[in-house]
Amino acid sequence: MNPAPPDHPYINQVSLAYTLLTFSYTPLIGLKEVGEDVPEGDALLTWMGVWKIIGSAMGIEEGGLPDTFDEARHLWELIIASPGYGRSDEGVELLQALKDHVAAGQKDAETPVDLIGQHGDAAVLELLKPKKAGS
C-alpha cells in the first residue's frame, strides 16, 4: 500500500507511467515488430496484471496503471504526445549507449538486428536525430 500523499514528496506520475510502459508495453511492440510471439488472451492479461502490481509499488496512482494492452497503448500515445515529452541531451546519450550496447552484443551475429533503429517507436527514433541548428 502506498503512503498517504502528505507522508511522501510529490511523485511525477507521468514519468513513472512512462518508465512502467517502457518495461511492460514497448517490449511487446518490439517483439511483434521482429515477428516474435507475444502473450495473448489470459497470458497477456496476466502480463499486464503483474506490471500493474509493479507500477503500484512504484507509486503510480490507479489512473496510470493500465489493465489491458489497449489501455497501455492509449496511455503511451498520450505520454509521447504530451508537451513534457521530448529530447534531452542526457536522454539521447543514454539511448545511444543502449543502442551501442545491443549492437556490441550482436557483433558475432550473422544478421544483427537494430531493434531501436529498425523497429523502434517513431517518436523515440525522432529523438535520436541530430539537433537542428538553433534548437
Side-chain angles (χ1 to χ4, degrees), residues 19-121:
T19 301
L20 180 72
L21 293 173
T22 299
F23 289 94
S24 62
Y25 169 73
T26 63
L28 298 180
I29 298 300
L31 287 170
K32 279 185 174 183
E33 289 290 326
V34 297
E36 294 293 327
D37 292 332
V38 296
E40 295 180 357
D42 287 344
L44 181 57
L45 287 175
T46 300
W47 172 265
M48 297 305 297
V50 167
W51 283 103
K52 185 173 181 174
I53 292 167
I54 293 168
S56 179
M58 290 169 59
I60 300 173
E61 296 171 359
E62 183 64 30
L65 297 169
D67 288 309
T68 66
F69 189 77
D70 287 339
E71 287 177 9
R73 177 185 305 118
H74 179 70
L75 183 57
W76 179 259
E77 290 169 355
L78 285 173
I79 291 171
I80 65 171
S82 70
Y85 179 84
R87 175 189 192 92
S88 73
D89 292 338
E90 296 85 358
V92 171
E93 186 177 333
L94 187 60
L95 188 56
Q96 189 61 52
L98 173 62
K99 191 174 175 188
D100 294 344
H101 174 74
V102 170
Q106 297 186 53
K107 65 182 176 200
D108 296 328
E110 192 171 311
T111 310
V113 176
D114 180 0
L115 292 174
I116 296 171
Q118 293 173 353
H119 305 287
D121 181 89

